[in-house]
Amino acid sequence: MKILIVGLGSMGKRRARLLKGIDPSIQISVVDNTEFRRAEAAGLGMTAYPSIKEACECETFDAALVCTAPLSHAVIIKQLLEQGISVFTELNLVKDGYEDAIALAKEKGLTLFLSSTMLYRGEVQYIASKVKEFDKKVNYIYHIGQYLPDWHPWENYRNFFVGNKRTGGVREIFGIELPWLTETFGDVVSFHVEKDKISDLEVEYEDSVFVTLRHASGAKGMLAVDVVSPKAVRNLEVFGEGLHLFWEGNPKALYQYDVNNQEKIAVNTYTSYEHDSRYSDNIVENAYVDELSNFLAVLKGEQEARYSFEKDLKTIDLMDKIEGAE
């Protein structure tokens, strides 16, 4: 199988490394418009091109991964689909080009696969299973935060997409978390928002947002999202009469409360897991591997994708409403 990775930034490098770990026989080429990244690709044994056009003139690809900044995705996805190449794309965060991409992929019989890595986390799947088998309503309190300059310590936050209002850091967190929250607790039927800017960060969006959510299942959620927390945090508590779950964002910090013994019991959803030391401890590689494995299986017609552009349209619509709330 031959795969083209468009964009050799941090995610492009991660996807390339993990693809090779899944199947060493996969041949990977790269498109990047910066000379130093093309040199990096060559140093890693990958053929590099300055454009999709040039790559497709030289090689034929089974699929492509779009790992560039979100606002560039629509044009790139269209180019790839027009070349007859199935697409895996990182989070888009905006719905630019969605209708055209969906229609073009269907017309050409191609796979259009959208990343939503949290759906592949073992802890998330465990929490979702417990909530869905529970026969009463539940509430949850969930705080996700990390200081924006720490997201990519190797570059200034003003120089990558989280500095842009349309694809800002708070919006990205919502884009990451809302798909699994709605999958677990049901569609959002009403919400209330409180937001403001509490830091000196040079961004044109509110850096701290609180949202109360009412889900179709009857569940209520208190969701706090920020890019100002000095320590990276993902703290979740799910509770109902007879169910109490706690998660601190990493594989070693998932607990279920034992009502009979009145104690928290650790839950292990991984036999082993891999962590990249450049990122906070709530980011593990296993979910990225499982997501890519799902994509490869979808290409072969062996599995269904867990997320889609159609589902993401609903997520982006909710994000827009939360962002626009007064």
Side-chain angles (χ1 to χ4, degrees):
M1 180 177 288
K2 296 182 75 171
I3 291 181
L4 180 67
I5 294 181
V6 184
L8 197 66
S10 60
M11 282 305 301
K13 290 187 184 74
R14 168 186 269 156
R15 298 294 187 184
R17 174 173 55 82
L18 297 177
L19 277 171
K20 279 294 189 181
I22 294 168
D23 184 353
S25 72
I26 292 175
Q27 299 177 50
I28 300 174
S29 295
V30 171
V31 166
D32 202 291
N33 59 12
T34 58
E35 188 174 346
F36 80 93
R37 282 182 175 162
R38 292 199 298 275
E40 279 187 295
L44 295 169
M46 297 181 287
T47 305
Y49 302 93
S51 70
I52 292 170
K53 181 176 182 294
E54 290 175 69
C56 292
E57 286 172 350
C58 296
E59 300 186 59
T60 300
F61 300 98
D62 299 293
L65 275 60
V66 180
C67 303
T68 57
L71 293 182
S72 68
H73 287 184
V75 171
I76 293 170
I77 291 168
K78 184 178 180 183
Q79 280 185 277
L80 293 166
L81 293 173
E82 287 175 340
Q83 291 285 344
I85 302 172
S86 289
V87 173
F88 172 111
T89 177
E90 306 293 351
L91 282 176
N92 298 312
L93 300 180
V94 293
K95 56 187 175 185
D96 299 359
Y98 265 47
E99 291 184 3
D100 289 344
I102 292 169
L104 189 55
K106 287 181 179 176
E107 175 190 326
K108 290 181 170 287
L110 297 170
T111 295
L112 187 58
F113 188 104
L114 182 54
S115 170
S116 189
T117 312
M118 288 294 288
L119 289 169
Y120 297 82
R121 289 287 296 257
E123 308 97 311
V124 163
Q125 292 173 26
Y126 181 86
I127 292 164
S129 69
K130 289 299 177 182
V131 168
K132 289 176 180 179
E133 70 185 29
F134 190 60
D135 61 357
K136 298 179 183 179
K137 293 180 181 178
V138 298
N139 293 335
Y140 64 89
I141 300 170
Y142 193 19
H143 174 208
I144 315 101
Q146 183 181 4
Y147 191 44
L148 195 63
D150 295 339
W151 284 32
H152 284 186
W154 55 88
E155 62 182 329
N156 192 301
Y157 68 87
R158 302 172 193 85
N159 298 333
F160 76 110
F161 67 85
V162 295
N164 186 305
K165 184 176 181 179
R166 289 194 73 203
T167 56
V170 168
R171 187 175 179 90
E172 188 187 26
I173 293 173
F174 278 117
I176 291 169
E177 305 293 342
L178 285 174
W180 84 262
L181 289 173
T182 53
E183 174 69 22
T184 300
F185 299 104
D187 289 340
V188 173
V189 294
S190 64
F191 63 88
H192 174 75
V193 181
E194 292 288 343
K195 56 185 177 178
D196 55 4
K197 192 168 187 292
I198 64 172
S199 76
D200 294 325
L201 290 168
E202 296 179 24
V203 294
E204 296 180 353
Y205 54 85
E206 290 87 354
D207 53 29
S208 176
V209 180
F210 285 16
V211 188
T212 54
L213 303 163
R214 170 72 73 171
H215 294 268
S217 65
K220 301 190 304 295
M222 174 65 236
L223 182 58
V225 172
D226 71 75
V227 293
V228 301
S229 294
K231 182 186 182 302
V233 61
R234 180 181 273 130
N235 282 333
L236 173 69
E237 189 173 346
V238 180
F239 54 97
E241 187 183 19
L243 177 69
H244 208 158
L245 304 171
F246 306 82
W247 185 38
E248 295 173 13
N250 68 72
K252 295 184 290 185
L254 175 63
Y255 303 93
Q256 180 163 352
Y257 187 72
D258 186 324
V259 177
N260 295 324
N261 295 317
Q262 297 187 332
E263 61 178 346
K264 287 165 66 176
I265 305 297
V267 177
N268 183 12
T269 61
Y270 295 95
T271 54
S272 64
Y273 64 92
E274 182 182 349
H275 168 65
D276 186 332
S277 61
R278 296 179 302 162
Y279 298 93
S280 66
D281 65 358
N282 60 32
I283 298 176
V284 296
E285 302 290 86
N286 302 56
Y288 292 101
V289 172
D290 291 345
E291 183 173 52
L292 286 170
S293 297
N294 182 212
F295 173 60
L296 296 176
V298 171
L299 290 176
K300 296 173 183 176
E302 297 171 352
Q303 295 179 11
E304 296 291 324
R306 294 190 189 174
Y307 200 54
S308 67
F309 272 58
E310 289 84 356
K311 289 180 179 179
D312 201 48
L313 279 171
K314 294 172 66 175
T315 299
I316 291 175
D317 181 58
L318 178 57
M319 288 159 57
D320 288 343
K321 289 176 181 177
I322 289 171
E323 197 169 275
E326 297 295 335

